[in-house]
Amino acid sequence: NAGVMQNPRHLVRRRGQEARLRCSPMKGHSHVYWYRQLPEEGLKFMVYLQKENIIDESGMPKERFSAEFPKEGPSILRIQQVVRGDSAAYFCASSPGAGNIQYFGAGTRLSVL
Amino acid sequence: DAKTTQPPSMDCAEGRAANLPCNHSTISGNEYVYWYRQIHSQGPQYIIHGLKNNETNEMASLIITEDRKSSTLILPHATLRDTAVYYCIVRVANFGNEKLTFGTGTRLTIIP
């Protein structure tokens, strides 16, 4: 049973470009969570999604960031017009349902030049 | 979710038991204690969780005090691969409130 798959592992963007980060949950998991880790800091919750629904986006920046988890395909975290401060590791986790253990992927490291 | 307090760093000799403490004095009755670890820059790895009883699995043991205000994660025979940052998280798990709140954790270094 494959774990949570994130791609790309590393992503380099120039300021003003768009970044798209993908997350495929573990088989049988319908809940997805995105976290961000700035250098030398702990992980910060961004958003929680269930298939086709955003359940909690209290940790998402108000502008430029969006997330989706369509009926088919991976969850996507989209960052428009990236700035240097967006440089971080972005981790995705999945679980089979509410109240269950969250399992994390290896992360995507975004570098903004 | 309740705030947790952990020592910033600890050392442990290889082969010995590593005991990592966590204080969560404001924990509520419906909040679980979870432990994760992050090895270097990898994704966090789930270790164990519990509500009020002690728990054990193939990775570790979790000891929760009777008043639930503190807990200890025990790695029984630490190896070099256990060097990581360990996070103690308290979480009330109900639909719509699923976020894990990571603090700064304890950086555990296993000494050869």
Side-chain angles (χ1 to χ4, degrees):
Chain A
N1 186 12
V4 178
M5 303 301 292
Q6 291 189 246
N7 66 80
R9 292 294 309 278
H10 300 275
L11 182 62
V12 179
R13 286 287 177 265
R14 296 189 180 280
R15 281 179 296 171
Q17 291 184 319
E18 178 180 286
R20 281 183 180 242
L21 289 64
R22 288 178 292 277
C23 170
S24 296
M26 290 177 68
K27 187 176 181 180
H29 287 193
S30 59
H31 294 233
V32 164
Y33 316 80
W34 286 93
Y35 293 80
R36 177 167 66 175
Q37 186 172 32
L38 296 172
E40 304 303 321
E41 293 187 13
L43 280 78
K44 304 292 185 197
F45 169 80
M46 298 181 75
V47 63
Y48 161 37
L49 310 100
Q50 199 181 358
K51 282 285 188 181
E52 300 185 276
N53 291 303
I54 296 175
I55 308 300
D56 180 358
E57 55 181 347
S58 59
M60 286 279 271
K62 294 289 187 286
E63 298 177 348
R64 302 187 297 108
F65 285 72
S66 63
E68 63 177 9
F69 188 18
K71 187 177 180 180
E72 301 291 337
S75 175
I76 305 288
L77 180 67
R78 181 182 178 206
I79 311 171
Q80 296 178 286
Q81 300 176 327
V82 296
V83 301
R84 288 220 174 105
D86 297 331
S87 295
Y90 292 82
F91 293 98
C92 168
S94 74
S95 75
N100 282 269
I101 298 165
Q102 294 179 26
Y103 295 94
F104 284 80
T108 293
R109 276 144 191 85
L110 172 65
S111 296
V112 180
L113 304 179
Chain B
D1 289 345
K3 183 179 175 61
T4 61
T5 304
Q6 300 178 252
S9 64
M10 292 180 63
D11 293 340
C12 179
E14 187 179 16
R16 304 297 293 268
N19 296 280
L20 291 91
C22 179
N23 285 319
H24 31 80
S25 59
T26 59
I27 193 170
S28 300
N30 61 348
E31 287 182 311
Y32 288 76
V33 180
Y34 279 74
W35 283 84
Y36 280 79
R37 72 181 181 184
Q38 189 173 25
I39 297 173
H40 193 46
S41 298
Q42 299 176 22
Q45 178 187 22
Y46 165 79
I47 301 173
I48 200 167
H49 76 284
L51 183 63
K52 54 183 177 181
N53 296 321
N54 297 338
E55 301 287 344
T56 296
N57 62 20
E58 64 280 3
M59 288 183 68
S61 294
L62 174 60
I63 307 299
I64 303 175
T65 58
E66 194 168 339
D67 63 7
R68 303 210 322 122
K69 293 185 177 182
S70 65
S71 60
T72 301
L73 177 74
I74 301 172
L75 308 177
H77 305 287
T79 70
L80 298 178
R81 287 176 294 181
D82 293 321
T83 292
V85 178
Y86 287 76
Y87 296 99
C88 168
I89 300 166
V90 293
R91 171 194 179 199
V92 53
N94 54 32
F95 190 78
N97 185 21
E98 293 284 297
K99 63 178 124 182
L100 297 175
T101 302
F102 288 81
T104 52
T106 295
R107 185 174 298 274
L108 176 67
T109 302
I110 306 302
I111 309 297

